[in-house]
Amino acid sequence: MADTRALLQPEMIITGNTKAAVKAAGGGSSDLWTVPPDQIHYDARDNVRPLDPERVRHVANLIKANGYDRKKPLGCFVRKVEGQDLIFVYEGQHRYHAALLAISEGAQIERLPIVIDDAKSVSRVNLIYAGITNNDGEKLTPLQLAEKVVELQDLGESNATICQRLSITDQTIRDVLLLANAPSGLHELVREKVVSSTLAIDEIRSHGGNKALERLLNAAAQAKASGKAKVTKKGLDKPTGRKITDVQAKQLLQALQSVLHDPVFGKLSPGTIAGVHAALTHHADLLDAVSTGRHKHPIHTANENGVFVKCETIRAPITKRTGLSPAEIHLAQPEEGVWIFSTTLRVCTGTTSGLPNMRDFTSTYPTRMQAIRAAVSDFTRTLDRADRTKAKEAPSIRAWLDKLSTMHDPDWTEEIAAEESK
């Protein structure tokens, strides 16, 4: 499961001295250790579930109204960081963040009660097990459990040990691993609660990961069109026939419109010309306006190293996870009617990028749109690679590429067509 494993970064925990850490933090003890909140540290990798902001908000409101419940200490351990003994929370992360939020809004909390694990018991494996079993009232989703099973396997734990310590069956492990190894797009449907984990696992078992994703995406689109937020087994099994979606219909009309405005359209057979006109006559209001005139594009100048630092860049929609565009096309026109391109791709754990360079390009293109379509082809081949096809960003990038590939080329002329045909 390339996506899940790429997010997991197991590391050796170097344990520290408990008394030294509490003393350095200005803490004290009675039955429990009590420590100023700002002296407790947090690393998301120490907690088995992602932080839920809504739950933090809810608990913060309770703390502001009732005070912090000292009967519920935080589970912590001491980690040695650059020679310092620091206290890290690994159980009760929502209470910890809720306390900090309440303090930021005026609540008076001088110290938080904590229980610190014995250094001998602290390891990445034990933190995972404890994070799952100590919070059994709030069970992990199957997808969250899958991620932790994969991490435990990577840390050398056998399935038998995982079953014993989590009190689960071999079948549960097989089921969640089916989900873990499914395409990332299916993970997104589960995380967004459009599809239940149980239904997703059933679909994967019956049809395989890729086909399951296709079926569930189609069912999700149909559910949304009907005003429903979730896909059900009944809705999934309902016969749908081979109906074309509104989006697909518009794409077909736009493709016909591009044919209509192509400079060599008049050389097609009379029957084809009549068919295109007939198809578009009553649907012009459904289409985006298409410019039929040639555009004047700027000439780009390379720097002393042959790099076009000042060039045109087209960006895919920014992702919420990174705040960056996952894919970019860089276009340069060194001279009139000569275009080159380069691309930037940010998926999985790597980035491939580079601005257009006079020394690196292998082909030139007569129009801006032809260069864009060549870049689309490059991106498509890259995303089809095994290590890229399951990237979380892949579906949105492909949708962006599909839109680019069907755009009209206003600079294409009959002369260019004749030259290219040679």
Side-chain angles (χ1 to χ4, degrees):
M1 183 184 70
D3 297 322
T4 303
R5 293 173 189 239
L7 296 175
L8 304 175
Q9 303 176 34
E11 62 176 28
M12 180 72 71
I13 294 176
I14 304 174
T15 58
N17 184 281
T18 298
K19 291 183 178 179
V22 175
K23 182 178 179 181
S29 68
S30 52
D31 293 333
L32 303 172
W33 297 105
T34 59
V35 176
D38 62 357
Q39 294 299 312
I40 302 173
H41 301 269
Y42 172 78
D43 186 330
R45 293 173 298 180
D46 297 331
N47 296 265
V48 298
R49 346 182 128 66
L51 196 67
D52 182 352
E54 292 185 4
R55 187 176 172 210
V56 171
R57 177 72 271 172
H58 174 68
V59 177
N61 291 341
L62 294 177
I63 291 175
K64 288 166 66 176
N66 306 292
Y68 188 91
D69 187 351
R70 291 175 55 83
K71 299 188 298 297
K72 296 181 179 178
L74 304 175
C76 300
F77 67 94
V78 175
R79 175 187 270 128
K80 183 83 72 175
V81 179
E82 296 181 351
Q84 286 186 293
D85 295 308
L86 301 179
I87 301 169
F88 280 77
V89 61
Y90 77 91
E91 183 183 340
Q93 62 168 337
H94 288 91
R95 277 175 280 138
Y96 164 71
H97 284 283
L100 295 183
L101 178 57
I103 291 169
S104 73
E105 296 175 349
Q108 299 297 314
I109 305 175
E110 294 183 0
R111 295 186 177 188
L112 290 174
I114 67 173
V115 173
I116 298 180
D117 284 4
D118 188 291
K120 296 178 181 178
S121 70
V122 177
S123 68
R124 178 66 59 191
V125 167
N126 284 341
L127 287 184
I128 295 172
Y129 283 127
I132 297 173
T133 59
N134 291 356
N135 291 285
D136 196 48
E138 183 201 351
K139 292 184 181 295
L140 291 180
T141 67
L143 184 56
Q144 291 169 342
L145 178 59
E147 292 169 351
K148 294 307 163 186
V149 168
V150 169
E151 187 174 358
L152 287 168
Q153 290 177 333
D154 286 346
L155 290 167
E157 293 291 278
S158 67
N159 284 359
T161 300
I162 295 172
C163 287
Q164 180 182 11
R165 294 195 63 174
L166 296 183
S167 188
I168 59 177
T169 66
D170 283 332
Q171 185 60 52
T172 298
I173 289 184
R174 287 193 292 272
D175 286 346
V176 298
L177 289 182
L178 277 177
L179 188 57
N181 289 290
S184 60
L186 201 151
H187 294 170
E188 287 302 308
L189 291 175
V190 172
R191 289 193 182 99
E192 293 170 3
K193 299 182 180 179
V194 176
V195 175
S196 71
S197 298
T198 302
L199 179 56
I201 291 170
D202 286 344
E203 283 293 296
I204 297 166
R205 188 184 293 114
S206 300
H207 305 285
N210 291 329
K211 184 63 177 178
L213 174 59
E214 180 184 340
R215 282 169 51 84
L216 291 169
L217 283 173
N218 288 337
Q222 292 162 15
K224 185 176 181 179
S226 302
K228 299 176 182 178
K230 296 183 178 182
V231 174
T232 64
K233 180 68 173 175
K234 182 178 179 181
L236 187 62
D237 291 338
K238 184 168 59 178
T240 58
R242 296 184 61 84
K243 294 183 179 179
I244 191 168
T245 66
D246 290 343
V247 172
Q248 292 169 328
K250 186 171 182 179
Q251 287 176 337
L252 288 172
L253 283 174
Q254 286 172 330
L256 274 179
Q257 188 179 32
S258 295
V259 172
L260 176 64
H261 292 288
D262 193 287
V264 296
F265 175 69
K267 294 189 175 182
L268 297 175
S269 70
T272 300
I273 293 174
V276 172
H277 279 296
L280 292 176
T281 298
H282 302 293
H283 303 294
D285 59 324
L286 299 177
L287 297 166
D288 300 325
V290 173
S291 173
T292 58
R294 284 179 61 81
H295 290 205
K296 183 66 176 178
H297 300 288
I299 300 297
H300 300 102
T301 303
N303 65 13
E304 63 275 11
N305 297 314
V307 179
F308 292 90
V309 177
K310 294 183 178 180
C311 63
E312 179 186 358
T313 296
I314 305 173
R315 295 179 173 86
I318 291 173
T319 62
K320 294 180 180 179
R321 184 174 66 85
T322 65
L324 298 171
S325 170
E328 298 173 352
I329 297 173
H330 311 289
L331 300 167
Q333 183 182 213
E335 59 183 82
E336 187 71 32
V338 177
W339 289 85
I340 61 176
F341 75 89
S342 65
T343 59
T344 293
L345 184 62
R346 303 181 182 94
V347 298
C348 299
T349 58
T351 299
T352 59
S353 65
L355 294 173
N357 191 317
M358 288 297 292
R359 292 176 295 184
D360 293 342
F361 72 90
T362 56
S363 301
T364 63
Y365 304 89
T367 70
R368 172 180 174 274
M369 194 62 229
Q370 296 309 304
I372 290 174
R373 287 174 180 162
V376 168
S377 296
D378 274 13
F379 270 134
T380 301
R381 285 192 295 270
T382 301
L383 290 174
D384 285 341
R385 285 172 43 190
D387 60 334
R388 307 280 190 187
T389 189
K390 293 184 179 180
K392 290 183 178 180
E393 300 86 355
S396 65
I397 294 175
R398 290 186 188 278
W400 173 67
L401 294 175
D402 288 343
K403 186 174 181 179
L404 288 178
S405 66
T406 59
M407 287 176 59
H408 173 65
D409 187 348
D411 303 316
W412 189 257
T413 65
E414 186 173 346
E415 291 75 17
I416 293 176
E419 186 64 28
E420 291 294 305
S421 66
K422 296 179 181 179

